[in-house]
Amino acid sequence: MALQASPEQDPLLQLRDIKTPTGVDWWPLDWGWWLLMLLSVVVLIALIVFIKRRIAFNRPRKEALKALGTISEHADDWPVQLNTLLKRTALSYFPKERISSLHTQQCRDFLLASCPKNAQALNEGLTALHANLYRNSAQHTDFAVSHDAVKMWIKNATFPRQHRIPSFLEATS
């Protein structure tokens, strides 16, 4: 004869169903997520400000390169145009007091000091340019080397960042 346990004594009958925990909601966010979102917004704003400043800083350089493309060797005053372009670009980045009084050798020394890359080619081109500035008629054979030197200086010169950058057109006035 088999003994039957009473329901009060049967331990399996005393068990209750397992309650699963409630699901974890995505809202409200934990403090770490808020910190990550805040950090992402700060980085995004800093990146936008950096890019805008870089674009504004390089705007006179780009405008000068565009203006350089319009200067032709067939123009009788190409040395004056190239020299004016160099001065306008320099005035966009350097203080007016420092640039306006420079002439010939001082100007060439200043331009060479602000662009140490390819100093030999730059010196040859600037020497040819300054020599043609004071001639009655410019030698058209010097145009290519002078044009390349001006282009090289505009592209590779190191400009100070602390000076207020006027637009390329403001530098002419």
Side-chain angles (χ1 to χ4, degrees):
M1 162 160 126
L3 290 175
Q4 292 230 335
S6 67
E8 293 91 29
Q9 292 179 352
D10 188 9
L12 291 177
L13 293 176
Q14 293 177 0
L15 291 177
R16 303 228 180 355
D17 285 338
I18 297 174
K19 287 188 177 181
T20 59
T22 58
V24 178
D25 290 334
W26 64 277
W27 194 261
L29 295 177
D30 196 19
W31 67 270
W33 288 108
W34 285 106
L35 186 63
L36 181 65
M37 284 191 297
L38 179 67
L39 186 64
S40 299
V41 167
V42 168
V43 167
L44 183 65
I45 290 171
L47 185 64
I48 289 170
V49 167
F50 173 77
I51 290 171
K52 284 184 120 180
R53 284 185 180 173
R54 185 163 178 96
I55 289 171
F57 183 77
N58 286 325
R59 184 171 293 127
R61 188 186 307 243
K62 287 185 180 186
E63 290 173 359
L65 287 171
K66 189 184 296 183
L68 182 64
T70 64
I71 299 174
S72 169
E73 79 176 284
H74 301 296
D76 290 333
D77 64 340
W78 65 261
V80 174
Q81 290 180 14
L82 288 177
N83 193 52
T84 303
L85 183 64
L86 279 173
K87 285 237 179 179
R88 284 172 60 188
T89 306
L91 284 170
S92 295
Y93 289 102
F94 294 98
K96 187 176 184 178
E97 302 81 30
R98 184 173 175 191
I99 303 301
S100 59
S101 63
L102 298 177
H103 295 286
T104 57
Q105 184 63 34
Q106 296 170 335
C107 185
R108 184 171 52 241
D109 292 343
F110 166 76
L111 294 172
L112 289 171
S114 62
C115 184
K117 187 177 182 181
N118 296 332
Q120 180 63 28
L122 186 61
N123 187 29
E124 290 173 12
L126 293 175
T127 302
L129 173 64
H130 288 135
N132 281 298
L133 273 174
Y134 301 107
R135 289 192 177 136
N136 288 338
S137 62
Q139 293 182 350
H140 294 286
T141 57
D142 290 339
F143 176 79
V145 71
S146 298
H147 187 273
D148 291 344
V150 171
K151 186 175 185 177
M152 185 185 322
W153 186 82
I154 292 171
K155 283 186 171 183
N156 300 317
T158 53
F159 300 120
R161 296 219 181 251
Q162 64 270 18
H163 179 65
R164 184 190 86 73
I165 307 291
S167 72
F168 188 68
L169 297 175
E170 286 177 348
T172 60
S173 58

